Amino acid sequence: MFTHVMIGSNDLDLSRRFYDATFAALGGQPGEMDERGRLIYRHDGGRLMITKPIDGKPATAANGGTIGISAASRAHVQAWHDAGTLNGGTSIETPPTLRPDGVFVAYLRDPDGNKLTARCQTTT
């Protein structure tokens, strides 16, 4: 359904450090800057794009918004969470946890305050 998700950042270098680390923990590749100065992460035909807002105003996090990221295993979710907290992110909600429905989930805010979750369906 989605081709990409675009979020704003006030510090692309800090965002790159955070997202490179968290996506590496999931087995992903580092981001690339395009000719317009946007940081782009690609996976399975989808893209996460990070940019300074084109209106010149400061980037702000979406109130009530969450970006969900699929992970292959509980170990990947935990590694994503650990990489995020070591690279400018903030742990939020509960610590990484197994929910009663069998979903293992973790939550972070990126350096600009965007709310992210990594989760896996497997309980292994």
Side-chain angles (χ1 to χ4, degrees), residues 12-70:
L12 290 174
D13 291 330
L14 185 58
S15 289
R16 181 176 226 158
R17 190 178 90 215
F18 174 85
Y19 284 101
D20 278 1
T22 57
F23 286 137
L26 297 175
Q29 299 297 313
E32 298 176 0
M33 287 293 219
D34 73 1
E35 67 282 351
R36 295 173 62 190
R38 300 175 301 187
L39 182 56
I40 301 174
Y41 294 87
R42 293 177 174 84
H43 183 72
D44 289 341
R47 294 177 297 165
L48 174 65
M49 302 171 70
I50 304 163
T51 188
K52 289 193 176 267
I54 56 177
D55 66 2
K57 295 179 182 173
T60 59
N63 185 20
T66 304
I67 298 169
I69 299 166
S70 179

Side-chain angles (χ1 to χ4, degrees), residues 26 71 73-82 96 104-106 118-120:
L26 297 175
S73 68
R74 288 174 66 165
H76 280 108
V77 172
Q78 187 66 55
W80 173 87
H81 186 266
D82 294 345
F104 191 75
V105 62
R119 54 188 54 222
C120 67

